[in-house]
Amino acid sequence: MEEMLQKILDQNRYWIKYGEVPSYIPALAKANPEDLGVSVVNMKGQIVTIGDCSTKFTMQSISKPLALMQAIMDSGPVEVFRKVGMEPTGDPFNSIIKLETLKPSKPLNPMINAGAITTSSLINGSNSTERIERLLELVRTLAGNNEIGINEEIYHSEKETADRNRALGYFMRDIGVLEGNVEDILDTYFRQCAIEVSCSDIANIAVGLANKGNTLDGQEVVPADIVRISNTFMVTCGMYNASGEFAIKAGLPAKSGVSGGIMALAPQKIGIGVYSPALDQRGNSIAGIHILEDLSAWLDLSIF
Ligand code: GLN
């Protein structure tokens, strides 16, 4: 396993030069584009790590399936899906266009920014601090790492520059999707995006999702029917407007983030965490995608 994984990593290092580290959140631009790591955990909890697996990065959109699961646990599926849809958009992750053109309007799914800001608002808590504590608890439990916290620099950097997410938030309050204090809801979203993890943390979270929401020693963290919903969204919407292509080429539930991480899983088999911060034009880690495609082909992991 180690040898093959090393080979897959080495042969895909080539893609880094075709990608770019994002700068629209200024602090993310400090990432080293050469960093590259992959962690794989099997159902026995055995982990193989190759490359930069202890480098910390922020979850960004990888937090979206976790916020979705917490929102469903807290508010129930009826309330969540009254406010957020179940369909892919084909648009960039931060697009606003369909919020206005579709009638009646709600974010199309919980993996785009508009949908994720909405699910964050449906986590129990009377303010952002209470909501983020619940989400952090979920992330820490699934990752088996109580040290996981928030990168304050990246949180502030996003909060100070998030005009587009702010526009989405205020627009959604106008159409009745968000209720209450928009700044406080956005604060939860910015903080969840700044939760700091390593490749190995996300591989451990992924293996819990591969195990239907249970830790490998059998403790239920998220009910299986809620994990099934989240894993399905990861297939249909997890790689933004590249989800269809990724489903054909890799065939795995996966969620990427603009920090360059990707969390992927093969149900009942393995959890995978990849990190490589150079992104393609859709905001997915360019080497990360290719590594997952090769890994899926090698181990015959496609769920289709
Ligand atoms: N915090 C980022 C944003 O809202 C997350 C987006 C992403 O990872 N695609 O723009």
Side-chain angles (χ1 to χ4, degrees), residues 22 24-25 28 59-61 93 240 256-261 277 279 282-283:
Y24 80 101
I25 298 174
L28 285 183
M59 290 186 95
Q60 300 300 329
S61 287
F93 61 84
Y240 319 123
S256 61
V258 286
S259 50
L279 308 181
R282 285 148 163 180

Side-chain angles (χ1 to χ4, degrees), residues 35-64:
D35 280 348
L36 185 61
V38 57
S39 295
V40 176
V41 188
N42 68 15
M43 304 299 286
K44 291 183 190 148
Q46 294 161 327
I47 185 159
V48 179
T49 59
I50 306 283
D52 304 300
C53 286
S54 49
T55 306
K56 301 266 189 224
F57 55 94
T58 51
M59 290 186 95
Q60 300 300 329
S61 287
I62 299 172
S63 65
K64 289 172 178 170

